[in-house]
Each structure stands twice: as C-alpha cells, then as structure tokens.
Amino acid sequence: MYDVKKIREDFPILQREVYKKPLVYLDNAATTQKPLCVLDAMREEYLNVNANVHRGVHYLSQQATDLHEAARETVRAFINARKIEEVVFTRGTTEAINLVAQTFCESQMKAGDEVLVTDMEHHSNIVPWQLQAKKMGIVVKHLPIDDKGCLVSCHDVATYITERTKLISIAHVSNVLGTINPVKDIIKLAHERGIPVLVDGAQSAPHMKIDVQDLDCDFLAFSGHKMYGPTGIGVLYGKEEWLEKLPPYQGGGEMIDKVSWEKTTFERLPFKFEAGTPDYVATHGLATAIKYMESLGMENIEAHEQELTRYCMEQMRTIPNMRLFGEAPHKDAVVSFLVGDIHHLDMGTLLDRLGIAVRTGHHCAHPLMDRLGVTGTVRASFALYNTKEEIDALVAGIRRVSAMF
Ligand SMILES: Cc1ncc(COP(=O)(O)O)c(C=O)c1O
C-alpha cells in the first residue's frame, strides 16, 4: 500500500513551519525535496570515501569510481537503456540539451536546415537551438497547441515536417500545462522520415516509468534535482549510434584518449562527453534517489500523483472566476491557474503567507505565455509526498485570497 504519511517521514523539511503555518510545498516542478537516504548517502561518501574518480590507483579512488559507475548502471536500468555507454552525466536537463544542440547542429546540420520544437517548451529547449540558429543559420520551427494545451494531432505534426527537418526536440510533459505529449507516436512518425527525436524528460522522469527502448527516442534529457536527487546532476541518454557520430562537447581531462601537440584523440563513450571531474557524489545521490523511487514503485507514484492532479483540477473548478491553463486529457502533476484579474505575483505572495509554496511568473516559457495571452500564471505542482489535505489547503487559500480582492 502507498502510505503517504509514512513516506513524508523520509522528508524532514515537510514537517517545518513557515510564518508559523505548516509548510505546504507545491513547487515540485521547480525542484523536489530530498529524502534522508539521499542526504545520508552523500554525507557518507564525503565522510568516508571521497577521492577523485577514474584516475587513482588508490583504494578510495577505486571505491569512489565504483560508486560513480554503479550510479550509471542504476540510471541505465531506470530508463532501460541498452548500454551504460548511452548514459552521459551532465549538470542537468539544460546542459544535456545544450550538448545535443551544439554537437548535433555542428556535425549534422547546415544553414537552412530545421529543428522542430513545440509552443510549450521550457526556455532550455528553445534558446540552445536559437543560439545555433544565430551561429549556423539553422531554422527553429515550432508546433502549435490548441486551447486545451494539447499539441496538434500527429497528422498535423507531419505537415510541419519538411525535407529540411533534421531533428525534433519536444517536452515529454509541459512544466506549465502538465500536458503529457504523445512522444511515442511523434517518434514513430519522425523515424518513418529518418528524423531523430530528443525528448525533454525533465517533467516526466520524476513521475512515470520511462523506457527509452520502448519510446525509441534518440535522446532523452532529465535533471536529478526534480526527482529527489541533488542539484547539479542530470542525464543525457543518447542512442549509441548517435553519440558515436557527435563530436565532443567540451574539452579537458577525462574525455581524452591521447593528447599531443599534433593530434588529440578522444575517450570512448560515454566519457567523450564528460570533460573534467564529474560530480561523483551527486551521481551517487541521484542513484540513491532513483532506488528510493523504485522502492515505492514508479506505477504507485504515478497513480498517486494522477489522483492528486485529478482531485486538484476538480476542486479548482469550484472556485469562482478560476482560469485553468492546461486541460489536456493526459495531464500530470502540474496545475496552472489565474483567478479573475488577480495578478499571479499577488496570489503567490499571499498564498506564501498562508504557508503554501507555489510558483508564479512565466515558468521559463515566454513563448507559451504569449500563446496563452498572459504574462504569467500561478503553478501548483505535485510530488510523491503531497496529499489531498494539502490540495484542500491550497484551494482554501485561493478562496481566501480571492475574497480579499
Ligand atoms: C520541461 C523542462 N525542461 C527543462 C528544464 C530545465 O531543467 P534544469 O534547470 O534542471 O536544467 C525544466 C526546469 O524546470 C523543465 O521544466
């Protein structure tokens, strides 16, 4: 049984008060809280194991290397990648997408070639492509969304693909709308036309089982801190054949085979993309977070969060003048809203005074805000430890704030 009360004991921060009110933490799409096992694992490594990885012949270095590489295997199994060579550690989703944008555009694209994203992307899946557009003359195109926050149908997606489309890069789940995009269908359609697909999994990896072989995606990016792991660590999954084709991203130690003044050769995968000392304590922390999620069961987490989302949407609809953004039939863990003409910042600030932590603003998605015709929204986002009582507190809080205006 999924015992949320017991689960909350693993997250001491959830017991604290703010402004003498119990904390209701609903900003999980920005970052999640960390369970004790993750903090303990990282403390233990710094206390007893710490040494730089891959280089040392001494005991501690080998032990730290073993933990670091075991973390890679944990990630591989978590997303069902074929090989550990396909798991590249990055600083997060943002760095993973920048890595692909830079190396893919440089090696696989010419001026006038197109990359296709969507109207609901986070800036980290827009700006890296725009930087390449400026540098290389590639073109960034975007798929539109309907008023419920869904992508146009797959049939219509096909109409946006041209002979010049060289890559499709899409969010699995929107961080503003919560829409779960039909990435598997889009990947199939893209592959029929020989186009690889990058999936931004920042908002899906924490909430659902991802199987990269089943999806058949060419790249997947996600961040540790959004899935109960530490900050500063993330993952780029890439199919081996693609990673082999791409040039290195950054130069330095760890990523080379042999360096000379005449010619430098590079390490094998995945090290070719991991220049410099990796955050080996964070990789161990991430692996511990993944094991924690797996011990609860990804299906159970998904079912719990789906129920929270359904319940929250239902309750929100009872509030007068409520405007909900994102009403896709397949939606996950994110509820964005405005009430009447109350500014999102005012709503967020007053909810905060009631102990309720939500996010306000553009959520790093300016083009989506433009599409929705707003400057920002209030966003409540859920994690495995949230409860229906917390949603009741949110709804009561919104009613109270609304009454003040
Ligand atoms: C959909 C999506 N993509 C990318 C990112 C960027 O993640 P990070 O800042 O961890 O690199 C976020 C963060 O909110 C996100 O929600």
Side-chain angles (χ1 to χ4, degrees):
M1 215 193 79
Y2 194 88
D3 186 349
V4 73
K5 208 162 156 231
K6 193 152 179 301
I7 289 168
R8 288 174 73 84
E9 290 170 11
D10 297 331
F11 298 83
I13 198 170
L14 298 177
Q15 311 307 322
R16 68 163 292 185
E17 296 191 333
V18 292
Y19 310 109
K20 300 198 173 129
K21 307 256 177 0
L23 170 69
V24 175
Y25 186 77
L26 298 176
D27 194 17
N28 296 286
T31 201
T32 53
Q33 303 302 344
K34 322 300 171 201
L36 281 170
C37 60
V38 169
L39 306 178
D40 289 347
M42 294 174 72
R43 183 169 190 272
E44 165 61 21
E45 185 165 4
Y46 274 128
L47 268 180
N48 283 315
V49 184
N50 183 47
N52 206 334
V53 292
H54 294 144
R55 296 166 197 176
V57 290
H58 60 82
Y59 190 88
L60 289 188
S61 175
Q62 293 196 5
Q63 212 178 349
T65 303
D66 288 348
L67 285 177
H68 180 62
E69 291 307 321
R72 201 186 302 277
E73 169 54 25
T74 301
V75 171
R76 185 208 63 73
F78 179 63
I79 56 173
N80 194 31
R82 280 180 201 84
K83 300 175 168 188
I84 52 167
E85 285 79 359
E86 297 181 321
V87 176
V88 177
F89 286 121
T90 64
R91 284 193 297 122
T93 307
T94 302
E95 190 178 50
I97 298 175
N98 274 277
L99 188 162
V100 177
Q102 185 179 306
T103 61
F104 190 93
C105 292
E106 191 184 307
S107 63
Q108 312 292 320
M109 293 179 81
K110 293 194 289 293
D113 284 347
E114 296 164 6
V115 58
L116 188 55
V117 299
T118 78
D119 267 352
M120 64 173 92
E121 299 308 321
H122 188 278
H123 292 160
S124 60
N125 194 26
I126 299 175
V127 184
W129 307 109
Q130 289 180 329
L131 293 177
Q132 294 307 316
K134 197 145 187 228
K135 209 157 84 183
M136 305 233 343
I138 65 156
V139 180
V140 186
K141 288 193 159 180
H142 45 106
L143 290 166
I145 57 170
D146 65 20
D147 290 339
K148 283 198 174 318
C150 299
L151 277 185
V152 292
S153 71
C154 267
H155 169 73
D156 290 336
V157 171
T159 65
Y160 284 82
I161 295 174
T162 74
E163 280 157 25
R164 306 287 321 245
T165 309
K166 290 290 181 293
L167 185 80
I168 299 178
S169 189
I170 41 172
H172 197 172
V173 174
S174 158
N175 67 313
V176 178
L177 307 166
T179 308
I180 305 174
N181 284 319
V183 286
K184 194 171 170 181
D185 296 340
I186 294 173
I187 291 165
K188 185 164 176 287
L189 182 130
H191 285 177
E192 283 162 7
R193 291 156 179 78
I195 303 164
V197 179
L198 184 156
V199 175
D200 172 352
Q203 298 296 346
S204 58
H207 303 294
M208 60 187 74
K209 175 81 194 127
I210 295 184
D211 181 331
V212 290
Q213 293 192 59
D214 179 53
L215 283 181
D216 202 23
C217 57
D218 301 275
F219 302 100
L220 171 78
F222 55 97
S223 298
H225 70 98
K226 293 185 194 287
M227 45 195 285
Y228 316 101
T231 48
I233 194 71
V235 173
L236 171 68
Y237 157 80
K239 278 186 185 164
E240 189 181 25
E241 61 258 43
W242 275 115
L243 293 182
E244 287 291 5
K245 270 188 229 171
L246 302 183
Y249 173 53
Q250 293 179 329
E254 296 267 340
M255 53 76 74
I256 51 85
D257 168 37
K258 174 84 180 79
V259 179
S260 71
W261 296 121
E262 293 72 38
K263 183 176 187 261
T264 290
T265 53
F266 305 115
E267 255 286 25
R268 61 190 197 283
L269 293 176
F271 308 111
K272 179 172 95 175
F273 294 108
E274 294 181 349
T277 299
D279 195 340
Y280 51 85
V281 178
T283 57
H284 180 44
L286 172 60
T288 309
I290 288 174
K291 284 181 189 156
Y292 177 78
M293 291 168 75
E294 286 174 334
S295 74
L296 300 178
M298 289 307 291
E299 296 79 11
N300 299 331
I301 294 171
E302 186 176 355
H304 175 73
E305 293 172 345
Q306 278 287 323
E307 179 53 20
L308 290 180
T309 309
R310 188 203 60 74
Y311 181 69
C312 186
M313 290 294 281
E314 183 185 280
Q315 294 302 308
M316 292 296 230
R317 288 195 180 99
T318 66
I319 298 173
N321 302 319
M322 172 57 68
R323 293 161 66 197
L324 290 166
F325 299 91
E327 298 194 76
H330 300 293
K331 177 179 166 79
D332 200 25
V334 175
V335 174
S336 276
F337 65 95
L338 289 172
V339 180
D341 55 6
I342 303 174
H343 196 275
H344 47 86
L345 201 56
D346 292 334
M347 177 63 82
T349 308
L350 291 168
L351 286 175
D352 177 53
R353 289 283 158 172
L354 301 172
I356 303 165
V358 289
R359 182 135 297 226
T360 64
H362 55 68
H363 315 298
C364 295
H366 280 151
L368 177 56
M369 294 300 123
D370 292 344
R371 166 65 181 84
L372 299 174
V374 295
T375 55
T377 71
V378 188
R379 179 185 74 184
S381 53
F382 313 124
L384 57 82
Y385 41 63
N386 288 123
T387 64
K388 283 192 175 169
E389 289 73 30
E390 289 181 308
I391 291 172
D392 291 340
L394 170 71
V395 171
I398 297 169
R399 285 184 189 280
R400 199 165 149 191
V401 174
S402 304
M404 288 165 66
F405 280 81

